[in-house]
Amino acid sequence: MKCPICGNEDIGRLSKSRFFCSDCFIEIFLSRKSEMQIYKILEDGTACAIAAEN
Ligand SMILES: [Zn+2]
């Protein structure tokens, strides 16, 4: 698993289907269908969806 935004291969794993890139401060969610959803973590801690792709 690597970050789809910056290509960082050292992203953190939060749970089975959640990953976090500390370089671009995003969370990546993988659905059961392996669809990828990317959320930007804002300064106040809220997650803002920025992309959804296969
Ligand atoms: Zn990244």
Side-chain angles (χ1 to χ4, degrees):
M1 184 68 194
K2 69 179 183 180
C3 175
I5 305 295
C6 68
N8 177 15
E9 294 186 11
D10 192 30
I11 63 176
R13 188 168 200 167
L14 300 176
S15 70
K16 191 177 179 186
S17 57
R18 289 175 65 201
F19 301 85
F20 179 76
C21 177
S22 56
D23 278 3
C24 25
F25 238 65
I26 59 165
E27 271 189 35
I28 301 120
F29 292 80
L30 294 180
S31 73
R32 286 182 188 169
K33 297 174 189 172
S34 293
E35 290 169 334
M36 188 179 287
Q37 291 183 297
I38 302 168
Y39 294 87
K40 177 90 174 170
I41 308 302
L42 305 179
E43 285 183 11
D44 64 2
T46 55
C48 175
I50 58 171
E53 55 187 275
N54 292 327

